[in-house]
Amino acid sequence: MKEGNGAVVAVRLLDKRTGAPVNNAVVFATRMDMAPDGMEAMTAPVEVLPSEEPGIYRFKTNLIMAGGWRFSIAAKVQGETETVECRLEFKAVQ
C-alpha cells in the first residue's frame, strides 16, 4: 500500500460457521496506528466509505509515512452477543 492521503483499507467480514458475508455490521470503533510496538501514539484518521459489495467494509486513511501500520476494527453483528474485533498489520511504501 502506498503512503499518503487516500489509502483505502478493505475488510471482509465472514460468518465462520457458514462462510457467508456478514452484512449490516455496526462498526463502532476504528483505529490506524504505527505497527511497531511503542509507536501507537502515531495515528492516522480513518473515514468510513460506502460499501460496494456484501460483507466488505471500506475505510479511507492518510498514511503519513512509509513503514508498518496497524488497522483495528470493532463491530457488532446481528445475532452475536460478543463484539467482533480484528487487527490487520501491513506496510506502507513510498
Side-chain angles (χ1 to χ4, degrees):
M1 183 175 298
K2 287 273 196 194
E3 71 173 302
N5 199 15
V8 175
V9 175
V11 177
R12 179 184 306 269
L13 296 181
L14 297 174
D15 186 317
K16 288 167 68 172
R17 298 165 295 207
T18 64
V22 174
N23 299 317
N24 303 316
V26 177
V27 176
F28 64 87
T30 57
R31 179 179 169 91
M32 182 71 74
D33 60 63
M34 290 295 289
D37 289 338
M39 294 290 291
E40 295 89 356
M42 184 165 292
T43 62
V46 177
E47 174 187 336
V48 177
L49 295 173
S51 179
E52 294 182 349
E53 65 180 277
I56 301 289
Y57 298 84
R58 298 172 62 238
F59 307 89
K60 179 181 170 186
T61 189
N62 180 8
L63 302 176
I64 56 176
M65 64 186 295
W69 287 89
R70 179 183 303 117
F71 178 67
S72 303
I73 180 173
K76 286 291 191 181
V77 176
Q78 186 175 4
E80 296 294 327
T81 57
E82 300 293 322
T83 297
V84 174
E85 297 179 312
C86 179
R87 281 189 185 168
L88 306 169
E89 292 193 16
F90 59 92
K91 296 276 187 197
V93 297
Q94 292 181 330

